[in-house]
Every structure is written in structure tokens, then in C-alpha cells.
Amino acid sequence: MTIAVGDKLPDVKFIKVGEGGPEPVQSADFFAGRKVALFSVPGAFTPTCSAKHLPGFVDKAADLKAKGIDEIACTAVNDAFVMGAWGKASGSSDVTMLADGNADFAKAVDLVMDGSGFGMGTRGQRFSMVVNDGVVEQINVEAPGTFEVSSADHMLGQL
């Protein structure tokens, strides 16, 4: 069943690139005790993700933090090296890049999509959520092929 407002996030492992290379990040630890703006994109370096979704959260990072967000995180079904390179290319350290390389998180929250028609295989859907101490407070899932409700601007209006 798809994750909903009031649900606790499942505990799965993400990977992020740190100073010494790939580092495991347990979702239960990452989201514990703080308010996180999490957004998911179908793929790093893809057109809408690179031109609109990530830049929106980079541009609005200070506004989100002013409204009580402690951390902003992006996830995608890509490996940690790709996510790390995309984070560097965005020019901002305001967004933590969490690789979901095996789609464990996307599957656990039941927000997967089939991108095989584009040679992308299983991917996470485009969505955003506000997670407070591991519990979903807001969730915004895009219809296929759209970019409307998962933006930083939309999230700011919900806070």
C-alpha cells in the first residue's frame, strides 16, 4: 500500500557519497528527531529533474528552513556516485543526495514506476513529502509526466 500522511517511513538503507566514498544511511536514523523535506525524482541528470525539480529546492532552501525544515534531501534510483556528481553539478550543499540504487525505498513506500520504455528500468515516481521524526506529514505524488505538486514552491505553501 502506498505510504500516506500519518505513516511512519520504512527503515531502509540509502547510500550517499561522503568524504571517504560511499556511506550507508539508514532511513530511521536520517529522519529521526527532525523535519525533513524529501523529494524524489525519476533520475539524476534527466531533463525536468535537472532543469526544475532540484533547482527549485536549491533556490528555496533558505525559505524552507525558515519555515521549520531542518534538512532537504533528494532521492532517486541511481547509484551514489551519480547522485553525488549531480549534487556537485547543482552547485549547492543545501540538498543531501540519497541514492536508492536498488529502489528499496521506492518499493517500500510503493511509489515505483516502470521506466523500461525509456531504458531506465524500475524507478521512483516523482514526489515530495514532509517527514517529521520519521512520520509523513505531507505527501505530494505527481501524475505520470507532470511536475506540479512536488515542487519546492508547492511545499512552501503547505508549511
Side-chain angles (χ1 to χ4, degrees):
M1 180 157 54
T2 304
I3 193 126
V5 170
D7 289 349
K8 187 162 184 63
L9 287 182
D11 187 19
V12 298
K13 182 174 67 173
F14 291 108
I15 305 288
K16 72 176 186 174
V17 174
E19 298 282 327
E23 300 174 355
V25 177
Q26 280 302 128
S27 59
D29 298 331
F30 184 82
F31 293 98
R34 57 196 185 145
K35 193 175 236 182
V36 178
L38 175 69
F39 66 103
S40 169
V41 298
F45 292 109
T46 56
T48 301
C49 306
S50 291
K52 297 178 183 176
H53 211 166
L54 177 58
F57 279 90
V58 170
D59 292 344
K60 301 294 182 181
D63 297 336
L64 288 162
K65 290 180 180 182
K67 290 218 174 193
I69 296 296
D70 298 308
E71 177 105 19
I72 302 165
C74 174
T75 186
V77 180
N78 287 111
D79 66 69
F81 298 106
V82 168
M83 292 297 286
W86 193 40
K88 284 182 183 174
S90 77
S92 176
S93 60
D94 288 320
V95 178
T96 301
M97 305 305 263
L98 299 174
D100 185 23
N102 296 322
D104 294 335
F105 182 76
K107 290 173 186 173
V109 297
D110 195 25
L111 288 169
V112 295
M113 60 171 261
D114 180 4
S116 59
F118 301 100
M120 296 172 66
T122 299
R123 294 292 175 139
Q125 291 182 40
R126 185 180 307 282
F127 66 85
S128 68
M129 60 175 73
V130 175
V131 182
N132 193 355
D133 194 24
V135 177
V136 178
E137 284 189 346
Q138 297 286 341
I139 186 162
N140 308 294
V141 180
E142 296 287 358
T146 65
F147 177 64
E148 298 166 4
V149 299
S150 64
S151 70
D153 283 327
H154 185 82
M155 183 179 281
L156 278 167
Q158 295 177 308
L159 295 172

